[in-house]
């Protein structure tokens, strides 16, 4: 690690933190320390950082706004990268939105609605960053990021800066090319449609209200834990299996929404992983369906 620190200290790569606990950066409030957490403040710092990591074969992981993510109890080895405030912006060019990778999706939805721009209503209650939404093709209510993305600027694993078109992203359900060819989304351009401000706000608020009623938003969670299997819903299967309220350690299947696991008090990543495995076993045994996790596990078990 000392060698990494010497390398990083010789270049402008942003804020560098050693053995930084990651639980405070995740919506589950779970996770051990990062060997090194680096917070670049601009594209040049990020590109320099990625070039160094690539040239010296140093393992790296990106951390967004901490949703849809489980960080292991032993933390994450190597370098963890979190985009800084310089990537948290949004600007509007007629019916187009250009947003930084660290910008909040929820905040962007509200800004778009206020300007009478339609296309982001589906994401009104989705936690996370613009970069994360672009990376995983985030979606809800019959729509997703692929429906509005125009292009994305990405810093690739070797420090190269590229702009990918919608076609380049190779989108599928919760999937993009970046899951095979690693890179970090620093900016995205979204093509919107002009519409009635009140209608757009009403549609977005309807989705937000539904989430408020049906999801345990007041408790630490990571959003939906399992992908929906074809033609069905994971929440229905889990509830039908009688698993609502089932608890292992500090991790509990939400009594409000069966596809959420909530941290009800000092939960560990091990608790969550054991509960995920138990749900998979029970649903498979009772219904013959293999549930696949939607959350990403990062770090050393």
């Amino acid at each position: 690690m000392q060698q990494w620190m010497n390398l990083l200290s010789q270049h402008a790569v942003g804020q560098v933190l050693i053995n930084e606990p990651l639980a405070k950066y995740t919506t589950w409030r779970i996770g051990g320390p990062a060997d090194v957490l680096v917070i670049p403040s601009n594209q040049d710092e990020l590109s320099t950082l990625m070039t160094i990591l690539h040239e010296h074969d140093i393992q790296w992981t990106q951390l967004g706004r901490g949703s849809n993510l489980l960080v292991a109890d032993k933390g994450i080895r190597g370098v963890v990268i979190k985009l800084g405030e310089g990537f948290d912006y949004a600007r509007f060019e007629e019916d187009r939105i250009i947003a930084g990778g660290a910008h909040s999706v929820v905040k962007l939805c509200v800004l778009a609605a206020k300007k009478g721009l339609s296309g982001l209503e589906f994401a009104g209650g989705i936690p996370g960053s613009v970069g994360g939404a672009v990376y995983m093709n985030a979606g809800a209510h019959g729509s997703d990021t692929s429906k509005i993305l125009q292009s994305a600027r990405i810093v690739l694993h070797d420090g190269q800066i590229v702009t990918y078109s919608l076609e380049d992203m190779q989108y599928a359900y919760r999937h993009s090319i970046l899951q095979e060819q690693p890179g970090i989304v620093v900016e995205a351009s979204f093509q919107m449609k002009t519409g009635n401000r009140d209608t757009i706000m009403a549609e977005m608020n309807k989705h937000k209200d539904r989430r408020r009623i049906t999801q345990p938003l007041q408790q630490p969670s990571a959003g939906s834990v399992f992908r929906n299997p074809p033609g069905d819903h994971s929440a229905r299967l889990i509830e039908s299996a009688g698993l609502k309220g089932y608890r292992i350690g500090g991790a509990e299947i939400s009594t409000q929404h069966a596809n959420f696991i909530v941290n009800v008090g000092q939960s560990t990543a091990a608790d969550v992983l054991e509960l995920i495995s138990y749900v998979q076993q029970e649903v498979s045994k009772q219904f013959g369906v293999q549930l696949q996790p939607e959350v990403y596990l990062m770090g050393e078990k």
Side-chain angles (χ1 to χ4, degrees):
M1 191 188 304
Q2 187 58 48
Q3 183 182 8
W4 303 349
M5 293 308 301
N6 290 339
L7 282 168
L8 298 177
S9 65
Q10 294 168 18
H11 301 84
V13 296
Q15 185 180 11
V16 179
L17 303 171
I18 309 299
N19 291 323
E20 178 72 2
L22 296 176
K24 63 184 178 182
Y25 297 100
T26 72
T27 58
W28 239 330
R29 298 293 179 258
I30 294 171
D35 283 345
V36 180
L37 176 65
V38 181
I39 307 176
S41 60
N42 58 56
Q43 183 177 279
D44 289 341
E45 288 183 350
L46 177 60
S47 179
T48 299
L49 172 63
M50 299 296 275
T51 300
I52 293 170
L53 300 181
H54 177 70
E55 289 177 349
H56 295 274
D57 197 26
I58 299 171
Q59 178 182 334
W60 64 272
T61 307
Q62 184 188 6
L63 179 67
R65 298 181 77 88
S67 61
N68 200 48
L69 172 69
L70 179 63
V71 174
D73 296 316
K74 292 183 180 179
I76 301 178
R77 306 288 69 83
V79 172
V80 175
I81 303 167
K82 181 175 176 61
L83 297 182
E85 292 182 1
F87 297 94
D88 186 357
Y89 61 85
R91 65 179 185 269
F92 295 79
E93 298 178 355
E94 297 181 349
D95 59 353
R96 194 163 69 111
I97 302 175
I98 299 169
H103 197 68
S104 161
V105 172
V106 171
K107 185 176 179 181
L108 191 65
C109 293
V110 173
L111 291 173
K114 287 181 176 179
K115 290 182 176 292
L117 294 176
S118 176
L120 272 167
E121 291 89 331
F122 74 91
I126 294 178
S129 65
V130 165
V134 171
Y135 173 88
M136 68 170 292
N137 191 21
H141 310 295
S143 191
D144 57 36
T145 307
S146 72
K147 302 294 193 300
I148 57 173
L149 185 78
Q150 188 175 58
S151 64
R153 185 182 301 162
I154 298 158
V155 177
L156 296 177
H157 70 285
D158 59 359
Q160 183 184 176
I161 301 170
V162 298
T163 298
Y164 280 180
S165 68
L166 173 61
E167 291 73 23
D168 293 331
M169 292 299 292
Q170 297 184 23
Y171 275 138
Y173 178 71
R174 304 296 181 267
H175 179 272
S176 77
I177 187 64
L178 296 179
Q179 289 162 33
E180 280 83 47
Q181 299 178 11
I184 295 178
V185 178
V186 294
E187 185 178 273
S189 174
F190 300 107
Q191 184 61 57
M192 309 292 284
K193 294 181 180 178
T194 56
N196 180 275
R197 179 183 182 277
D198 293 338
T199 302
I200 295 168
M201 287 291 289
E203 181 71 11
M204 186 182 69
N205 288 332
K206 181 181 73 173
H207 295 325
K208 289 174 67 176
D209 290 344
R210 184 173 182 276
R211 286 177 180 270
R212 237 188 332 265
I213 294 168
T214 61
Q215 299 178 3
L217 302 182
Q218 303 307 311
Q219 295 174 289
S221 79
S224 296
V225 174
F226 298 99
R227 297 168 183 252
N228 286 327
D232 209 337
H233 291 87
S234 294
R236 187 198 71 79
L237 291 166
I238 298 167
E239 183 171 356
S240 298
L243 296 177
K244 264 190 172 183
Y246 189 87
R247 182 187 298 190
I248 294 178
E252 179 183 276
I253 298 173
S254 170
T255 57
Q256 192 172 0
H257 192 302
N259 199 19
F260 277 60
I261 291 176
V262 293
N263 181 354
V264 294
Q266 305 302 313
S267 174
T268 64
D271 292 339
V272 174
L273 288 172
E274 188 176 348
L275 188 52
I276 286 174
S277 179
Y278 182 76
V279 169
Q280 289 174 312
Q281 291 171 20
E282 286 298 305
V283 169
S284 177
K285 182 169 65 177
Q286 295 188 40
F287 306 109
V289 177
Q290 301 294 328
L291 292 182
Q292 300 300 318
E294 187 167 286
V295 294
Y296 293 92
L297 171 65
M298 290 185 180
E300 183 181 356
K301 294 184 184 179

